[in-house]
Amino acid sequence: QLLVQQGRDSEAAAALNRAIKTVALTHQEKAEYYKMMGNCYSRLGENNEAERAYKKALELSPASDEVQSNLGSLYLEQSQIPEAKRCYQDAIAANPMNDKAWVGLGLCCVSEGNKEQAHDAFAKSLELNMRNSTAIFHLVKCAYEIKKYGTAEKTLSAYVESAPVSPSLLYSLAGLQFHVGKRREATQTAKRILQIKADHQG
């Protein structure tokens, strides 16, 4: 853990591998070590080693939604969309409260061109974790593309009250408020933008 904190992932992975081979560990501890090893290799860009470690972790702990989600992210980064989607679906089946898995599923749906399902997956992620900025960005993007503004407007309104916001995010909110017929709120949001950035052209 100290090596990981210092960014020394290669050494951390080697230490974990030694521990697995020499220390008496429970199945659950071994699964945790393999997961950590997979994370190290993933950050190093050693995808084959990362995949191998995650699969070892799943052999020991098949119901680990976190490992399934991490493996899904590894596949998604390599544009292996069907494999990534299956992992995220398995993660959600094991733990429907895994907001990261819902985001990953949404990104897979975007890659497949299914914007409706992607929109709903991002919305679900934000129900579970309002501060997921990746989910917010893609929810708003999907909302404009499928012309389905209500959920995104409601979610983004709540988000801007709980997190630091930028003029561009507020501008998205003003647009959503306009599209759902909340003209007064849209005007107030526009004024708020101008207080932050007086020369905002939008």
Side-chain angles (χ1 to χ4, degrees):
Q1 288 176 336
L2 287 169
L3 289 167
V4 167
Q5 289 169 14
Q6 295 168 21
R8 296 157 65 183
D9 286 308
S10 183
E11 294 170 77
L16 288 161
N17 196 35
R18 285 197 303 275
I20 288 168
K21 290 177 179 177
T22 60
V23 180
L25 301 168
T26 66
H27 265 45
Q28 196 57 46
E29 286 170 334
K30 275 189 180 180
E32 181 66 19
Y33 282 26
Y34 275 119
K35 182 195 78 177
M36 289 173 64
M37 198 186 303
N39 293 344
C40 290
Y41 285 131
S42 180
R43 287 190 292 270
L44 289 166
E46 297 182 21
N47 295 334
N48 290 339
E49 292 298 328
E51 181 181 5
R52 193 174 294 115
Y54 287 142
K55 285 184 174 179
K56 282 278 191 184
L58 287 171
E59 285 175 16
L60 294 160
S61 182
S64 174
D65 61 291
E66 188 179 353
V67 177
Q68 287 284 12
S69 187
N70 289 358
L71 183 57
S73 297
L74 185 71
Y75 287 138
L76 186 60
E77 286 171 10
Q78 299 173 78
S79 299
Q80 297 180 41
I81 305 305
E83 293 85 351
K85 188 174 183 180
R86 185 181 66 250
C87 288
Y88 288 129
Q89 288 171 332
D90 287 346
I92 290 165
N95 177 16
M97 306 298 284
N98 187 326
D99 65 288
K100 292 179 182 176
W102 281 107
V103 173
L105 181 60
L107 292 171
C108 290
C109 292
V110 168
S111 295
E112 293 174 336
N114 193 330
K115 302 295 177 63
E116 287 274 356
Q117 283 188 14
H119 171 279
D120 294 345
F122 295 132
K124 180 62 179 179
S125 172
L126 288 160
E127 282 179 25
L128 300 168
N129 177 13
M130 179 57 70
R131 289 179 171 269
N132 193 316
S133 57
T134 302
I136 278 286
F137 172 81
H138 286 286
L139 176 67
V140 172
K141 192 168 185 290
C142 285
Y144 276 101
E145 288 173 352
I146 64 177
K147 295 180 170 38
K148 185 176 175 181
Y149 306 108
T151 298
E153 186 274 329
K154 181 180 176 182
T155 304
L156 190 51
S157 292
Y159 181 87
V160 300
E161 296 304 322
S162 65
V165 293
S166 63
S168 60
L169 197 61
L170 288 171
Y171 187 61
S172 295
L173 175 58
L176 291 167
Q177 290 170 329
F178 178 85
H179 281 295
V180 298
K182 295 184 176 180
R183 304 297 174 86
R184 181 180 298 173
E185 290 87 345
T187 302
Q188 291 171 344
T189 303
K191 288 177 179 177
R192 185 176 170 186
I193 296 167
L194 293 171
Q195 287 172 351
I196 300 169
K197 185 174 172 58
D199 62 345
H200 192 285
Q201 293 184 355

